[in-house]
Amino acid sequence: MKILRMLVSAAIVLAMLVIILGAYTRLTDAGLGCPDWPGCYGFLKVPQHETHVALAEARFPERPVEAHKAWNEMVHRYFAGTLGLFIATIFFLSWRLQQKITLLPTALLALVVFQAALGMWTVTLNLFPLVVMGHLLGGFSLLALLMLYRWQLSKQLRPVLAEYQAPATLVRAGWLVLLILVGQIALGGWTSANYAAMACVELPVCHAGWQQQLNFSEAFDLHLGHDNYEFGVMSAEARQTIHISHRIGAVLTLLAVGWFALRLWQQRQHIGMARMPLLLGALLLLQFSLGLANIWWLLPLGNAVAHNFVAANLLMVLTLICVRLQQQRRS
């Protein structure tokens, strides 16, 4: 079991790197840095020799080689592929050690295969926003499931103490707050996928008269049938509507998760969690601050990547808390 725990721990670190690289790729407009999949212009790496570059541009005349964008995309693919191999190894090692197929390793394997498909569709469907958003959610979910499995493996060594008993209302509240957070992350992914992050650059909401310019029907339409979604296909009003929705969602999420973190802190002696409420609250405040900084400083790259990464960790921590509470309720 020790080797399995080490593999899962390494996969968690790798998943974090993949999330960071994915955000960096998206934010540097490198999602189509390689117009094909899984290679790049028909090569296993970015073409560099003049002959290879000429061949690549002959294959994809509408996509001249931009080496920096292509490398951003390929480095992300290399790390994501390595993560896939790690998860496949974890699945088979878990099966060998336990002599049965268990839920979390199977879910991880299924999800990473689906993530690979989403990665392919991101390219072949030319950044179709629904796929881009799904790819982001899938990456975050992989991290959360890996952390859950790591906790499950540790729990076999140190079982949850029987005296801890989570109130039913707290358990239900946790799952509801988790659903709110997932919705807000999906809305953030939709904002990014539709290039709406800078649709409003004023605080606290948007420019004067924004209420009259809302267009929800277009903002949340899938916009099927376009050949290319790079740099967005929606009107300024629709992007503004998405952006404002994400801001309002951020305030609601701040209130909901903040309230839940406070409840956890008040119940910490009964549920055996002293540090988790503090960690959840710290991540929440950091995430909200990074969101404000994105607007104030007009989406600086490092800050935007950090906003994406902290969201993934916030989801991971809240998911772990909810599962731990549920386990205590059943014990």
Side-chain angles (χ1 to χ4, degrees):
M1 280 295 184
K2 183 178 180 181
I3 185 65
L4 185 57
R5 289 193 293 272
M6 290 174 61
L7 270 174
V8 175
S9 297
I12 289 170
V13 175
L14 192 53
M16 290 181 174
L17 287 173
V18 170
I19 287 170
I20 291 171
L21 290 169
Y24 185 80
T25 300
R26 186 171 62 256
L27 289 161
T28 54
D29 298 321
L32 294 179
C34 295
D36 52 340
W37 190 94
C40 191
Y41 290 92
F43 299 93
L44 291 178
K45 64 177 185 176
V46 179
Q48 293 177 288
H49 191 276
E50 289 183 5
T51 304
H52 293 163
V53 171
L55 180 58
E57 295 185 343
R59 289 171 175 166
F60 299 92
E62 74 286 356
R63 283 278 170 190
V65 175
E66 295 181 82
H68 64 288
K69 289 186 177 182
W71 274 117
N72 287 353
E73 172 64 11
M74 286 308 294
V75 169
H76 173 58
R77 291 186 194 179
Y78 294 149
F79 275 85
T82 304
L83 176 61
L85 292 176
F86 265 70
I87 289 175
T89 304
I90 287 166
F91 172 81
F92 288 111
L93 185 58
S94 171
W95 174 72
R96 285 287 302 275
L97 289 173
Q98 301 183 50
Q99 294 298 307
K100 62 179 180 179
I101 294 177
T102 51
L103 178 60
L104 278 176
T106 305
L108 281 164
L109 184 62
L111 182 56
V112 82
V113 171
F114 186 54
Q115 266 294 90
L118 287 171
M120 176 186 68
W121 294 331
T122 296
V123 176
T124 58
L125 296 178
N126 293 313
L127 304 182
F128 180 44
L130 187 63
V131 171
V132 174
M133 182 186 72
H135 197 42
L136 178 140
L137 286 172
F140 285 16
S141 299
L142 272 176
L143 178 61
L145 287 179
L146 281 166
M147 183 57 75
L148 275 179
Y149 190 42
R150 184 64 182 83
W151 174 72
Q152 186 183 79
L153 292 172
S154 299
K155 184 170 169 279
Q156 294 173 359
L157 299 176
R158 299 182 298 276
V160 175
L161 296 179
E163 66 261 25
Y164 294 132
Q165 186 76 14
T169 53
L170 190 64
V171 176
R172 289 194 294 268
W175 291 116
L176 177 59
V177 170
L178 179 61
L179 184 62
I180 292 171
L181 178 62
V182 170
Q184 174 61 7
I185 290 172
L187 192 51
W190 190 248
T191 302
S192 178
N194 286 286
Y195 299 86
M198 288 290 95
C200 290
V201 293
E202 297 84 1
L203 289 169
V205 184
C206 204
H207 55 259
W210 61 268
Q211 299 94 329
Q212 287 74 43
Q213 298 175 7
L214 296 176
N215 188 343
F216 286 97
S217 60
E218 184 186 357
F220 296 99
D221 183 81
L222 294 183
H223 290 272
L224 301 173
H226 290 268
D227 293 330
N228 195 330
Y229 295 88
E230 190 175 24
F231 306 118
V233 298
M234 291 189 183
S235 67
E237 291 78 14
R239 297 186 202 204
Q240 178 181 286
T241 304
I242 295 171
H243 183 101
I244 291 169
S245 299
H246 184 52
R247 284 201 201 182
I248 294 171
V251 174
L252 294 175
T253 304
L254 177 70
L255 294 173
V257 180
W259 168 83
F260 183 62
L262 181 60
R263 285 289 310 277
L264 286 173
W265 176 252
Q266 293 169 341
Q267 297 279 339
R268 63 189 182 279
Q269 293 181 343
H270 302 292
I271 60 177
M273 295 185 200
R275 297 178 182 176
M276 296 295 275
L278 295 176
L279 178 59
L280 182 65
L283 286 172
L284 176 66
L285 292 176
L286 177 59
Q287 178 68 354
F288 192 77
S289 300
L290 289 169
L292 290 175
N294 273 341
I295 299 164
W296 186 260
W297 284 305
L298 303 179
L299 204 67
L301 180 58
N303 193 89
V305 171
H307 189 55
N308 192 91
F309 181 62
V310 174
N313 282 270
L314 190 58
L315 177 65
M316 176 183 70
V317 169
L318 185 54
T319 302
L320 182 57
I321 288 171
C322 288
V323 171
R324 288 183 61 177
L325 290 174
Q326 188 70 45
Q327 291 278 327
Q328 290 178 18
R329 188 63 191 163
R330 289 175 179 172
S331 61

